[in-house]
Amino acid sequence: MIEEVGWEHLVRLGGDLTFLSFRILDEKGRLHFMEIQLDKTYPKSPPSISADVPYNFDLQWSINSRLKDVVQQFQEHLEKLQEFWSTLDDIDKSLCVIDPKQPSRSISHRQINIGNDCFIMLCIDANNPRSLPECRFMGSGPFVGSLRKKWQRNSRKWTKDKPYLENLACLLETQLPRPTDVAKNDQQVECGICYAQCLPVDDELGAKSGSGTDYTCDNTTCSKAFHSVCLGDWLRSITTTRQSFNVLFGNCPYCSDPVAVKINNVKN
């Protein structure tokens, strides 16, 4: 049954063969992981699905269904969420997002610093991401009160065919501050595994703490960037990965071309 999906997509297979994890690329090249737990009555009973998405899809299942049908339905679900993730990516790159610091693909809110010790919390509708978001204002004083009134007064001006950030500026009647290091961020690339530009500041990471991506796939048509820490952890989870001395040999999560990572530099 795994052959129908493709062994190259298999990330992990439980010892009792009831747990499987697959990697799936969507049309924008985003990497997703889907975990499948098979019931002891499988295939009479449908498998349980877990994935890093804002909401799960309703699995259509019959006794004649196979794993490839699950993967196909998951891929169709991913396509429905493309605009949602593109909207959040645009917000993350262009505004001063302070929470979540390393968002997963399942999180639909963003807390944004708008200056003067004031913040807004935007909640994006995964099914209708271009619609007017739910917005909460946090802070005190006349500044946040003024913005709240402008939002309420101008909410009807929100239009789905207008760029998201342009809509925000229109409703608030001001340009929201961009990240102070936006020029630096424009030159940095997010990791293809953790989706963050920089690793967290953590003593366990040693010299890698807070560092940016430091490994790029050699395939010029791919050129996906990674933190070597993340890529090393990814390779360790793949059953086909080989190790020679202090180097892990495996395949790129995106294009499947060969990759090699030194693991003596991953953690001190």
Side-chain angles (χ1 to χ4, degrees), residues 34-262:
M34 177 178 61
E35 296 180 348
I36 301 176
Q37 184 69 52
L38 304 180
D39 187 83
K40 59 183 179 181
T41 61
Y42 175 87
K44 292 183 178 180
S45 299
S48 299
I49 309 298
S50 176
D52 194 17
V53 291
Y55 63 93
N56 273 328
F57 60 98
D58 294 325
L59 179 63
Q60 303 300 311
W61 187 261
S62 72
I63 194 171
N64 297 318
S65 297
R66 305 177 66 86
L67 278 184
K68 65 176 183 179
D69 300 314
V70 178
V71 173
Q72 181 179 352
Q73 291 181 52
F74 180 62
Q75 290 174 320
E76 293 172 354
H77 185 58
L78 294 180
E79 300 318 305
K80 296 177 182 177
L81 293 167
Q82 292 306 297
E83 192 171 33
F84 168 70
W85 285 319
S86 293
T87 297
L88 289 174
D89 287 346
D90 193 20
I91 292 173
D92 291 337
K93 293 175 182 178
S94 304
L95 298 175
C96 298
V97 176
I98 63 171
D99 182 68
K101 294 185 182 298
Q102 294 189 11
S104 71
R105 295 295 179 187
S106 64
I107 297 176
S108 60
H109 74 271
R110 292 294 187 269
Q111 184 174 338
I112 301 168
N113 186 347
I114 56 177
N116 297 315
D117 294 324
C118 296
F119 309 88
I120 57 173
M121 177 77 78
L122 297 177
C123 295
I124 315 301
D125 185 349
N127 287 311
N128 193 8
R130 304 291 296 181
S131 64
L132 177 69
E134 178 185 338
C135 183
R136 287 175 48 207
F137 291 84
M138 294 169 284
S140 60
F143 180 70
V144 70
S146 173
L147 288 180
R148 185 183 292 112
K149 290 179 180 178
K150 290 176 181 178
W151 181 275
Q152 294 171 347
R153 183 175 66 243
N154 296 326
S155 59
R156 292 184 180 180
K157 295 181 179 180
W158 186 280
T159 56
K160 294 183 179 181
D161 59 349
K162 186 183 297 184
Y164 204 88
L165 301 182
E166 185 178 330
N167 267 321
L168 289 176
C170 177
L171 266 64
L172 297 172
E173 298 179 11
T174 185
Q175 292 293 331
L176 295 178
R178 300 194 68 191
T180 54
D181 57 348
V182 65
K184 184 189 299 183
N185 284 344
D186 286 344
Q187 299 174 0
Q188 293 178 351
V189 182
E190 69 177 20
C191 172
I193 294 175
C194 74
Y195 305 121
Q197 291 180 346
C198 298
L199 288 168
V201 177
D202 189 330
D203 291 341
E204 291 188 4
L205 295 175
K208 298 287 185 180
S209 176
S211 63
T213 54
D214 56 358
Y215 187 96
T216 304
C217 177
D218 290 334
N219 182 349
T220 55
T221 61
C222 175
S223 299
K224 203 67 178 180
F226 306 95
H227 300 119
S228 56
V229 173
C230 298
L231 187 56
D233 289 344
W234 155 266
L235 290 174
R236 287 189 183 94
S237 72
I238 305 298
T239 55
T240 55
T241 296
R242 296 177 293 105
Q243 181 172 347
S244 177
F245 298 101
N246 64 338
V247 179
L248 293 174
F249 296 90
N251 300 96
C252 173
Y254 286 80
C255 70
S256 297
D257 267 23
V259 294
V261 178
K262 292 183 179 180

